[in-house]
Amino acid sequence: TLNATATQSVSSVVVSGSAAVAIGGAAGIGVAGSGVWAENKIGVDVGSYIDGDGEGGIAADSITLIAKDGSSIKSLAAAASLAASAGGAAGVSVSIGVSLARNTITTDVEASINNADGSSTDVTDDGINARTGGITIRATENASIKAVSAAASLAGGFAGVAGVSISGA
């Protein structure tokens, strides 16, 4: 019996925030920006195998080869930005929030019998022989990614003559 199991895991939380407030007699100008980049990667090879059968073949009561992957990524990326301005004649505010996330799992899972000459129910013959049980070969991939990426932006410009605000997320 050969069992190979991979259970790599990544948990990440990335948060960014920004705020700007400007007050001016003639003009108030407020600029705020916030950005987040989260990248998580898992790459693994999982194998449970027999390679070759040697001079006398392979003989056992039973043969079980199991390979499985349960790798996981949990990711949270968040950015927030706030800008406010006030001025007698002009109030100008610019706010930008950016959140980007990339999560990747690249796993190869293999369970196999390779380079065996053949199979036989007679113990004396060359090949593969499971005398009393069976031959079980199983490869399972159960990787998962749970990700949240969010951005928020707010801008406010207040003035007696011209109030300008630009916001983007």
Short mmCIF file of all heavy atoms in Angstrom, two decimals, residues 72-104:
data_model
loop_
_atom_site.label_atom_id
_atom_site.label_comp_id
_atom_site.label_asym_id
_atom_site.label_seq_id
_atom_site.Cartn_x
_atom_site.Cartn_y
_atom_site.Cartn_z
N SER A 72 -5.36 24.17 -0.75
CA SER A 72 -6.37 25.23 -0.74
C SER A 72 -5.72 26.60 -0.59
O SER A 72 -4.67 26.74 0.02
CB SER A 72 -7.37 25.02 0.40
OG SER A 72 -6.71 25.15 1.65
N ILE A 73 -6.39 27.58 -1.18
CA ILE A 73 -6.00 28.98 -1.04
C ILE A 73 -7.23 29.74 -0.57
O ILE A 73 -8.31 29.61 -1.16
CB ILE A 73 -5.49 29.58 -2.36
CG1 ILE A 73 -4.20 28.91 -2.80
CG2 ILE A 73 -5.29 31.09 -2.22
CD1 ILE A 73 -3.67 29.37 -4.15
N LYS A 74 -7.07 30.53 0.49
CA LYS A 74 -8.10 31.44 0.95
C LYS A 74 -7.47 32.82 0.95
O LYS A 74 -6.45 33.04 1.61
CB LYS A 74 -8.58 31.08 2.36
CG LYS A 74 -9.27 29.75 2.42
CD LYS A 74 -9.69 29.41 3.83
CE LYS A 74 -10.32 28.03 3.87
NZ LYS A 74 -10.64 27.61 5.23
N SER A 75 -8.08 33.75 0.21
CA SER A 75 -7.46 35.06 0.01
C SER A 75 -8.49 36.18 0.14
O SER A 75 -9.60 36.08 -0.39
CB SER A 75 -6.82 35.11 -1.38
OG SER A 75 -6.29 36.38 -1.66
N LEU A 76 -8.09 37.24 0.82
CA LEU A 76 -8.89 38.45 0.92
C LEU A 76 -7.99 39.63 0.58
O LEU A 76 -6.93 39.79 1.20
CB LEU A 76 -9.46 38.63 2.33
CG LEU A 76 -10.11 39.99 2.63
CD1 LEU A 76 -11.35 40.20 1.78
CD2 LEU A 76 -10.44 40.12 4.10
N ALA A 77 -8.39 40.41 -0.41
CA ALA A 77 -7.66 41.62 -0.79
C ALA A 77 -8.65 42.77 -0.83
O ALA A 77 -9.69 42.68 -1.48
CB ALA A 77 -7.01 41.44 -2.17
N ALA A 78 -8.36 43.85 -0.08
CA ALA A 78 -9.31 44.96 0.00
C ALA A 78 -8.56 46.28 0.01
O ALA A 78 -7.52 46.41 0.66
CB ALA A 78 -10.18 44.84 1.24
N ALA A 79 -9.10 47.26 -0.70
CA ALA A 79 -8.53 48.60 -0.73
C ALA A 79 -9.66 49.61 -0.57
O ALA A 79 -10.74 49.43 -1.12
CB ALA A 79 -7.80 48.85 -2.05
N ALA A 80 -9.40 50.68 0.18
CA ALA A 80 -10.39 51.73 0.37
C ALA A 80 -9.69 53.08 0.29
O ALA A 80 -8.56 53.23 0.75
CB ALA A 80 -11.09 51.58 1.72
N SER A 81 -10.37 54.05 -0.30
CA SER A 81 -9.79 55.37 -0.46
C SER A 81 -10.88 56.42 -0.25
O SER A 81 -12.03 56.23 -0.67
CB SER A 81 -9.19 55.50 -1.86
OG SER A 81 -8.61 56.77 -2.04
N LEU A 82 -10.53 57.54 0.39
CA LEU A 82 -11.47 58.61 0.69
C LEU A 82 -10.76 59.94 0.51
O LEU A 82 -9.65 60.12 1.00
CB LEU A 82 -11.97 58.48 2.14
CG LEU A 82 -12.77 59.64 2.71
CD1 LEU A 82 -14.10 59.77 1.98
CD2 LEU A 82 -12.99 59.44 4.20
N ALA A 83 -11.39 60.85 -0.20
CA ALA A 83 -10.84 62.20 -0.37
C ALA A 83 -11.97 63.21 -0.21
O ALA A 83 -13.06 63.02 -0.74
CB ALA A 83 -10.17 62.36 -1.73
N ALA A 84 -11.70 64.28 0.51
CA ALA A 84 -12.68 65.34 0.69
C ALA A 84 -11.95 66.67 0.66
O ALA A 84 -10.81 66.79 1.13
CB ALA A 84 -13.42 65.17 2.02
N SER A 85 -12.59 67.69 0.07
CA SER A 85 -11.97 69.01 0.01
C SER A 85 -13.04 70.08 0.12
O SER A 85 -14.18 69.90 -0.28
CB SER A 85 -11.19 69.17 -1.30
OG SER A 85 -12.08 69.10 -2.40
N ALA A 86 -12.62 71.22 0.67
CA ALA A 86 -13.51 72.37 0.77
C ALA A 86 -12.68 73.61 0.53
O ALA A 86 -11.55 73.74 1.01
CB ALA A 86 -14.17 72.42 2.14
N GLY A 87 -13.22 74.52 -0.25
CA GLY A 87 -12.52 75.77 -0.55
C GLY A 87 -13.52 76.88 -0.79
O GLY A 87 -14.66 76.62 -1.17
N GLY A 88 -13.06 78.11 -0.60
CA GLY A 88 -13.95 79.26 -0.81
C GLY A 88 -14.41 79.34 -2.25
O GLY A 88 -15.60 79.47 -2.54
N ALA A 89 -13.48 79.23 -3.20
CA ALA A 89 -13.83 79.32 -4.62
C ALA A 89 -13.91 77.94 -5.27
O ALA A 89 -14.79 77.69 -6.09
CB ALA A 89 -12.83 80.19 -5.37
N ALA A 90 -12.97 77.04 -4.92
CA ALA A 90 -12.93 75.73 -5.58
C ALA A 90 -12.57 74.66 -4.58
O ALA A 90 -11.70 74.85 -3.73
CB ALA A 90 -11.90 75.74 -6.72
N GLY A 91 -13.25 73.52 -4.69
CA GLY A 91 -12.93 72.33 -3.92
C GLY A 91 -12.79 71.17 -4.89
O GLY A 91 -13.73 70.86 -5.61
N VAL A 92 -11.61 70.56 -4.93
CA VAL A 92 -11.33 69.49 -5.89
C VAL A 92 -10.85 68.26 -5.12
O VAL A 92 -9.91 68.36 -4.32
CB VAL A 92 -10.26 69.91 -6.92
CG1 VAL A 92 -9.96 68.76 -7.88
CG2 VAL A 92 -10.70 71.14 -7.69
N SER A 93 -11.51 67.13 -5.35
CA SER A 93 -11.13 65.88 -4.69
C SER A 93 -11.01 64.76 -5.72
O SER A 93 -11.83 64.65 -6.62
CB SER A 93 -12.18 65.46 -3.66
OG SER A 93 -12.24 66.39 -2.62
N VAL A 94 -9.98 63.95 -5.55
CA VAL A 94 -9.77 62.77 -6.40
C VAL A 94 -9.49 61.60 -5.47
O VAL A 94 -8.64 61.70 -4.58
CB VAL A 94 -8.60 62.98 -7.38
CG1 VAL A 94 -8.37 61.71 -8.19
CG2 VAL A 94 -8.84 64.17 -8.29
N SER A 95 -10.20 60.49 -5.68
CA SER A 95 -10.01 59.29 -4.87
C SER A 95 -10.04 58.07 -5.79
O SER A 95 -10.92 57.95 -6.63
CB SER A 95 -11.11 59.18 -3.82
OG SER A 95 -11.01 57.97 -3.12
N ILE A 96 -9.04 57.18 -5.62
CA ILE A 96 -8.98 55.96 -6.42
C ILE A 96 -8.61 54.80 -5.51
O ILE A 96 -7.66 54.89 -4.73
CB ILE A 96 -7.94 56.07 -7.56
CG1 ILE A 96 -8.35 57.19 -8.52
CG2 ILE A 96 -7.81 54.75 -8.30
CD1 ILE A 96 -7.33 57.48 -9.59
N GLY A 97 -9.37 53.71 -5.59
CA GLY A 97 -9.07 52.48 -4.86
C GLY A 97 -8.96 51.32 -5.83
O GLY A 97 -9.81 51.16 -6.71
N VAL A 98 -7.90 50.52 -5.71
CA VAL A 98 -7.67 49.41 -6.63
C VAL A 98 -7.35 48.16 -5.81
O VAL A 98 -6.52 48.20 -4.90
CB VAL A 98 -6.49 49.70 -7.59
CG1 VAL A 98 -6.22 48.51 -8.48
CG2 VAL A 98 -6.77 50.93 -8.42
N SER A 99 -8.00 47.04 -6.15
CA SER A 99 -7.73 45.76 -5.51
C SER A 99 -7.62 44.69 -6.59
O SER A 99 -8.55 44.51 -7.37
CB SER A 99 -8.85 45.41 -4.52
OG SER A 99 -8.61 44.15 -3.96
N LEU A 100 -6.49 44.00 -6.62
CA LEU A 100 -6.25 42.95 -7.61
C LEU A 100 -5.79 41.69 -6.89
O LEU A 100 -4.99 41.76 -5.94
CB LEU A 100 -5.18 43.37 -8.61
CG LEU A 100 -5.45 44.65 -9.39
CD1 LEU A 100 -4.21 45.06 -10.17
CD2 LEU A 100 -6.61 44.46 -10.33
N ALA A 101 -6.26 40.54 -7.34
CA ALA A 101 -5.86 39.26 -6.74
C ALA A 101 -5.71 38.21 -7.83
O ALA A 101 -6.53 38.16 -8.74
CB ALA A 101 -6.86 38.81 -5.69
N ARG A 102 -4.67 37.41 -7.71
CA ARG A 102 -4.48 36.26 -8.60
C ARG A 102 -4.09 35.07 -7.74
O ARG A 102 -3.12 35.13 -6.98
CB ARG A 102 -3.38 36.51 -9.62
CG ARG A 102 -3.23 35.32 -10.55
CD ARG A 102 -2.07 35.36 -11.49
NE ARG A 102 -1.79 36.67 -12.02
CZ ARG A 102 -0.89 36.89 -12.96
NH1 ARG A 102 -0.22 35.91 -13.47
NH2 ARG A 102 -0.67 38.11 -13.39
N ASN A 103 -4.86 33.99 -7.85
CA ASN A 103 -4.62 32.78 -7.07
C ASN A 103 -4.56 31.59 -8.01
O ASN A 103 -5.44 31.43 -8.86
CB ASN A 103 -5.75 32.58 -6.04
CG ASN A 103 -5.83 33.76 -5.09
OD1 ASN A 103 -5.02 33.88 -4.20
ND2 ASN A 103 -6.81 34.63 -5.28
N THR A 104 -3.52 30.77 -7.87
CA THR A 104 -3.30 29.68 -8.80
C THR A 104 -2.89 28.41 -8.06
O THR A 104 -2.02 28.47 -7.18
CB THR A 104 -2.18 30.03 -9.81
OG1 THR A 104 -2.47 31.28 -10.41
CG2 THR A 104 -2.06 28.98 -10.88
#
